[in-house]
Amino acid sequence: MKKVRNKSFSSLEIPKWGRYLRERWREICAGHLTYEEQKEIGMDYFLWHLCSWERVECLEKEAAIEAFHKQAKHKFMVFYQFVDEAYLFEHAGSLKVTDLPYVEAHMNYSDMYVLDWDNGWSFICTHESEIGPFFIKRN
């Protein structure tokens, strides 16, 4: 694992956690749907279909970015749809969307999920510029 310091926050690469975090995200954010309902909206392909198919209450576009920026962001994980790389961020209150490890033109790094350590919220960027980003706030 490699620890990286950037600005006023720190991040730690957590290799091979992607699969675990994708399943955890599915349980936390889409647990109100049956597996069949999840399959019907294509969550086996992209988890963010939960948002684009309006199966969860969420914010979109600028409202989603603004909500992400307002979060305390004490500790959260970043992971991707197609690769098992993941990152743990801590003390990242000042972190902006542009600081996230998101690569718009790269299929493996353009479907990115940010999950609060305490499961209170999630921020999602998609590879489709006209869809998302999304922000889910859990009660």
Side-chain angles (χ1 to χ4, degrees), residues 24 34 39 65 75 116 133:
R24 182 173 174 195
T34 66
K39 213 173 159 149
I65 293 169
K75 193 173 188 180
D116 173 48

Side-chain angles (χ1 to χ4, degrees), residues 22-128:
R22 285 189 294 275
E23 285 306 312
R24 182 173 174 195
W25 190 93
R26 186 186 287 255
E27 290 170 13
I28 291 164
C29 296
H32 61 286
L33 299 177
T34 66
Y35 178 72
E36 287 305 315
E37 290 172 321
Q38 291 178 26
K39 213 173 159 149
E40 284 174 10
I41 62 170
M43 283 185 62
D44 287 346
Y45 303 107
F46 295 104
L47 295 173
W48 55 262
H49 282 180
L50 176 71
C51 299
S52 64
W53 282 76
E54 300 177 352
R55 299 297 171 92
V56 67
E57 190 174 314
C58 64
L59 299 173
E60 295 182 55
K61 303 201 181 294
E62 290 303 318
I65 293 169
E66 184 177 323
F68 175 76
H69 287 163
K70 288 181 178 179
Q71 297 309 301
K73 298 187 285 295
H74 299 295
K75 193 173 188 180
F76 62 86
M77 288 97 32
V78 172
F79 59 97
Y80 304 93
Q81 186 73 53
F82 298 112
V83 295
D84 287 338
E85 290 175 43
Y87 299 89
L88 172 65
F89 282 79
E90 294 184 283
H91 314 294
S94 65
L95 184 134
K96 301 294 182 200
V97 169
T98 54
D99 297 322
L100 291 168
Y102 171 79
V103 183
E104 185 176 0
H106 195 295
M107 189 62 177
N108 286 340
Y109 299 98
S110 62
D111 291 296
M112 181 190 69
Y113 302 83
V114 180
L115 180 61
D116 173 48
W117 185 263
D118 296 320
N119 307 322
W121 55 267
S122 182
F123 179 75
I124 304 107
C125 292
T126 76
H127 69 274
E128 296 189 29

Side-chain angles (χ1 to χ4, degrees), residues 14-25:
I14 44 179
K16 301 180 184 177
W17 271 48
R19 179 178 294 210
Y20 164 75
L21 291 171
R22 285 189 294 275
E23 285 306 312
R24 182 173 174 195
W25 190 93

